[in-house]
Amino acid sequence: MAQGCLKCLKLTMCAANFLCFMCGVAVLGFGVYMMINFRMAALTPTLANFNLANMLLISGIVITCVSFLGFLGALKENRCLLLTFFLLLFFLMLVELTVACLLLVYEGEIAELVQKDLNEGLEKARNSTDLSDWDLIQEQLDCCGVKNVTDWEGNVPESCCVTKCNGDNYRKTGCLAKLKTFFEENFLTTGISVIVLCIVEVLGMCFAMTLFCHISRSGLGYKL
């Protein structure tokens, strides 16, 4: 009976980590796609290294590596891999909770930093002929400038207009306000996602440690 339960646990861990691995590959591919097709560095020059594409790439690499360790450790019943998987999940959970707390505590400072960086990005865009990044964000979010159309100081791009520009049909809302609204609307979803992710990680750690203890009692060693 016990052997059957542990075999079921092993297969469950293998299947779950395989699915996570495939999700990681998908996230990694999406990050590469965004890096190639959506170069958003012109919006926030200082924060260019922290854009969505880079975050997706890093997340995809981490997910694939950790899930591969979990899959291989469960499949081969390898104590070393299972312990590494457990420690990585524990570390990732600590990082996620720390980042979530920092975002809540320093919300005002982060908003000011983003606003300052957007202003710098728009100032550079006014003196540039390439406005593809700003055109994309203004059309997608239905906004104009950082606060409003006056940020462009007369050099208003076509993407600021609702239809064809004729001097009075500019988009009324600034992109900073739209971004704030977007994050506020998705705050609950993000919070629930983080909680669910932490629960999954705790379950993964429990499964890994259970399998690890069984292998230790069985004296199977560090076989590959």
Side-chain angles (χ1 to χ4, degrees), residues 69 72-87 208-224:
L69 279 176
L72 193 61
L75 183 67
K76 296 294 185 179
E77 296 184 0
N78 185 288
R79 288 189 298 167
C80 184
L81 291 178
L82 286 171
L83 185 59
T84 304
F85 175 70
F86 174 87
L87 293 174
M209 192 49 62
T210 302
L211 202 54
F212 176 86
C213 292
H214 167 68
I215 295 169
S216 297
R217 287 196 300 268
S218 303
L220 298 178
Y222 295 88
K223 68 172 185 176
L224 291 169

Side-chain angles (χ1 to χ4, degrees), residues 88-162:
L88 284 174
L89 278 184
F90 181 72
F91 175 74
L92 285 174
M93 189 172 66
L94 289 180
V95 170
E96 289 161 9
L97 293 174
T98 302
V99 170
C101 291
L102 289 175
L103 288 174
L104 288 173
V105 173
Y106 296 101
E107 181 182 1
E109 289 82 350
I110 294 172
E112 291 177 4
L113 180 62
V114 171
Q115 181 175 350
K116 179 183 177 182
D117 220 32
L118 282 172
N119 285 324
E120 291 178 1
L122 189 139
E123 186 176 347
K124 290 182 179 179
R126 282 200 302 262
N127 303 317
S128 173
T129 55
D130 183 15
L131 300 177
S132 57
D133 290 348
W134 276 98
D135 287 338
L136 177 64
I137 198 73
Q138 289 181 152
E139 289 172 357
Q140 292 293 324
L141 294 180
D142 190 24
C143 60
C144 181
V146 178
K147 292 184 177 179
N148 50 52
V149 67
T150 58
D151 293 329
W152 288 102
E153 296 181 357
N155 188 23
V156 183
E158 289 284 336
S159 57
C160 263
C161 305
V162 179

